Amino acid sequence: MDQLIEWDKKHFIHPTSSIRDQQEKGAKVIFEKGEGIYLTDKNGKKYIDAMSSLWNVNIGHGRKELGEAARQQMDQLAFSSAFSTFSHEPTIQLAKKIADLAPSNLNAIFFTSGGSESNDSAFKLVRHYWRIQGQPERNKIVSLKRGYHGVAAGATSATGIPEFWDMAGQLQSGFVHAATPYWEGTQGSIKSIREVIEAEGPETIAAFIAEPIQGAGGVLVPPSDYFQEIRKLCDDYGIVFIADEVITGFGRTGTMFGLEHSGVQPDMMTFAKGVTSGYFPLGGVIVSDQIHGVLKEKSMGTLFHGFTYSGHPTAAAVALKNIEIIEKEGLVENSRKMGELLLEGFKKLKADLQIIGDVRGVGLLGAVELMEDPSANKRFSPELKVAGKVIEALHQRGVICRAVAYEGTDIICFSPPLVIKEEEVKTLLEKLREAISEVAQELSVKS
């Protein structure tokens, strides 16, 4: 174990982690096994994975069916390129399956290796779409503050979380951000987007992108009418609407895709994460029949965009088995039911514990916000790092969650596997109550 920790320090630069903490304290946990909603570390300690690792292990850990699907595909054809119109059966089948699941106007898919690549691909494809129609000046992307779209160059620039901008110190041009509806409401956000469009010039705007629920921004759930208004706004200006379903897709919100709650069809949709439940890297962009029609008619010669693993046959085989399990085991419906139970538990905690402010959730995507005085909308001082303290208290109790701290907010995010059972939801809520109560007592706040 000590040798692993030293090798980790010396040789492994961790993603989205503190390099200094890694060097001073070593790896926080070294996991060895996963089963269902649980992860077990090298010391034998068992944790509830209340984040599905990175919002993505939808069917739970340890599903041997996916390993078997990968093995069978690797025995037959592990990999071959999809460049130059080469193809293979599992990817064709997966494209058809996803098209069947997606909104009816979305039927053609460009495959990637993950969410960041998917969003970067969407931006390039939508700019190409306008260019081949003789409108190359339509190249700007409008997104929302607190939105998260990945860490590739374009995706980082579309992301509305400043911490991700600061890392490299420079963003790509052509990306502008408007107010999120979570704090501004539907009309406030729509007004902000219109102001951005008018300031930049409508003739320069290629697309608007948003998550049905802003995940990494703090599980920010928009008002129920928001995306109907977004659809109208995009239609008014002739702007392409891109739905980022990387977190919300494949059952996470109690529907197959998050935007189904709004009854709205986007022009493009990006996906990743839950399509394979993290068992193999895979993502993609689904485009509307109208956009695909323009590409088929006007895109001459080679489309000079593609990744080595676009349409990876083994990834496709894993995704097909993953989707089969989601459908066969009724995990979309379980997400809805268990999500209702989880949200009900959050509301009870809010009634019982003084430092809980807003609670929210859609399916198995939820959040609890902590405040010094919710009745006065008074937030904790950022120096207290209250959300971080609760995360650590949960960790000690064998629960893995995620904290979001932004402009004085203290948010605890939840995204457990869709296989979670009623008793497991109750256990998670009990441990959350204990953790928040402990931190409240430490802060001398009545709970």
Side-chain angles (χ1 to χ4, degrees):
M1 185 71 168
D2 289 344
Q3 183 68 80
L4 284 175
I5 291 172
E6 288 307 310
W7 285 345
D8 183 272
K9 289 180 181 180
K10 186 174 181 179
H11 301 296
F12 186 9
I13 301 175
H14 286 249
T16 315
S17 301
S18 167
I19 295 175
R20 179 169 294 180
D21 280 355
Q22 178 197 10
Q23 296 305 311
E24 291 178 354
K25 303 174 185 177
K28 187 175 183 68
V29 186
I30 298 179
F31 290 113
E32 187 169 58
K33 180 183 178 182
E35 184 175 0
I37 71 164
Y38 301 100
L39 291 168
T40 304
D41 70 15
K42 293 284 289 184
N43 295 317
K45 183 174 180 178
K46 198 172 184 179
Y47 296 82
I48 295 174
D49 183 4
M51 278 305 299
S52 295
S53 287
L54 284 174
W55 325 82
N56 62 335
V57 188
N58 287 14
I59 66 168
H61 298 280
R63 300 300 297 255
K64 292 180 171 56
E65 305 99 307
L66 269 65
E68 180 60 23
R71 186 196 65 78
Q72 290 180 10
Q73 184 58 45
M74 287 180 177
D75 284 349
Q76 183 170 334
L77 176 67
F79 174 73
S80 70
S81 168
F83 284 27
S84 304
T85 73
F86 289 173
S87 201
H88 26 69
E89 185 175 348
T91 303
I92 295 170
Q93 290 180 338
L94 179 61
K96 173 64 166 64
K97 182 61 179 178
I98 292 175
D100 289 345
L101 295 173
S104 60
N105 66 320
L106 303 179
N107 287 292
I109 300 162
F110 179 91
F111 286 108
T112 71
S113 304
S116 294
E117 284 186 3
S118 296
N119 285 323
D120 264 33
S121 296
F123 303 147
K124 291 180 71 175
L125 286 169
V126 77
R127 285 166 170 166
H128 179 67
Y129 164 78
W130 287 116
R131 186 183 61 78
I132 60 179
Q133 294 182 88
Q135 301 182 63
E137 69 281 359
R138 275 190 179 263
N139 55 43
K140 295 176 183 176
I141 309 296
V142 180
S143 59
L144 296 175
K145 296 175 182 177
R146 299 307 298 165
Y148 179 79
H149 302 291
V151 294
T156 297
S157 301
T159 288
I161 302 174
E163 292 88 338
F164 288 96
W165 306 342
D166 296 341
M167 180 263 174
Q170 185 172 352
L171 300 179
Q172 287 190 344
S173 61
F175 291 87
V176 287
H177 303 87
T180 174
Y182 179 71
W183 281 289
E184 301 295 332
T186 293
Q187 293 309 314
S189 178
I190 295 295
K191 179 175 182 288
S192 176
I193 297 167
R194 285 192 183 276
E195 289 173 350
V196 165
I197 291 171
E198 292 295 338
E200 298 293 328
E203 72 283 355
T204 71
I205 306 299
F208 169 82
I209 186 170
E211 304 155 274
I213 296 168
Q214 291 182 304
V219 186
L220 307 181
V221 181
S224 60
D225 65 341
Y226 183 66
F227 283 105
Q228 286 91 348
E229 293 301 315
I230 286 294
R231 181 70 271 178
K232 292 175 186 175
L233 181 147
C234 289
D235 290 343
D236 286 347
Y237 288 103
I239 293 169
V240 172
F241 171 30
I242 306 170
D244 180 343
E245 294 265 10
V246 171
I247 286 175
T248 53
F250 299 96
R252 173 57 55 192
T253 68
T255 53
M256 187 58 73
F257 294 101
L259 208 59
E260 291 177 39
H261 292 282
S262 301
V264 167
Q265 292 191 338
D267 303 302
M268 302 174 74
M269 179 188 290
T270 58
F271 66 88
K273 295 189 184 291
V275 70
T276 64
S277 290
Y279 282 69
F280 209 102
L282 178 68
V285 184
I286 323 174
V287 303
S288 70
D289 296 334
Q290 189 275 329
I291 290 175
H292 193 210
V294 171
L295 295 177
K296 289 187 288 185
E297 178 186 352
K298 295 181 179 293
S299 186
M300 302 300 177
T302 300
L303 178 70
F304 281 99
H305 180 66
F307 305 99
T308 299
Y309 300 124
S310 291
H312 196 296
T314 303
V318 170
L320 284 165
K321 178 57 68 173
N322 176 70
I323 294 170
E324 177 187 311
I325 290 171
I326 289 172
E327 293 185 316
K328 184 178 179 180
E329 297 185 4
L331 296 186
V332 178
E333 177 64 10
N334 194 64
S335 175
R336 184 187 67 78
K337 288 181 177 178
M338 294 302 101
E340 289 174 354
L341 185 64
L342 186 64
L343 182 57
E344 181 184 319
F346 289 164
K347 290 177 180 177
K348 190 172 190 313
L349 290 176
K350 175 181 170 66
D352 294 345
L353 301 176
Q354 185 179 328
I355 70 169
I356 296 181
D358 187 35
V359 297
R360 49 192 180 267
V362 182
L364 285 171
L365 190 60
V368 171
E369 196 161 344
L370 307 173
M371 303 184 77
E372 183 174 348
D373 185 354
S375 63
N377 199 33
K378 182 180 179 183
R379 301 189 181 281
F380 286 107
S381 168
E383 290 75 20
L384 292 175
K385 299 181 179 180
V386 174
K389 292 179 188 295
V390 172
I391 290 297
E392 184 56 33
L394 283 165
H395 184 85
Q396 296 303 318
R397 289 167 171 79
V399 176
I400 299 168
C401 282
R402 183 167 181 170
V404 172
Y406 172 72
E407 293 186 353
T409 60
D410 283 284
I411 301 169
I412 311 299
C413 300
F414 298 84
S415 180
L418 308 190
V419 296
I420 195 168
K421 299 178 179 68
E422 184 173 343
E423 285 304 312
E424 293 169 334
V425 172
K426 290 178 180 178
T427 298
L428 173 59
L429 289 166
E430 288 170 5
K431 291 179 181 291
L432 178 61
R433 177 185 290 274
E434 292 173 4
I436 294 176
S437 297
E438 177 185 297
V439 172
Q441 186 175 5
E442 177 187 335
L443 296 169
S444 300
V445 175
K446 184 181 177 182
S447 61

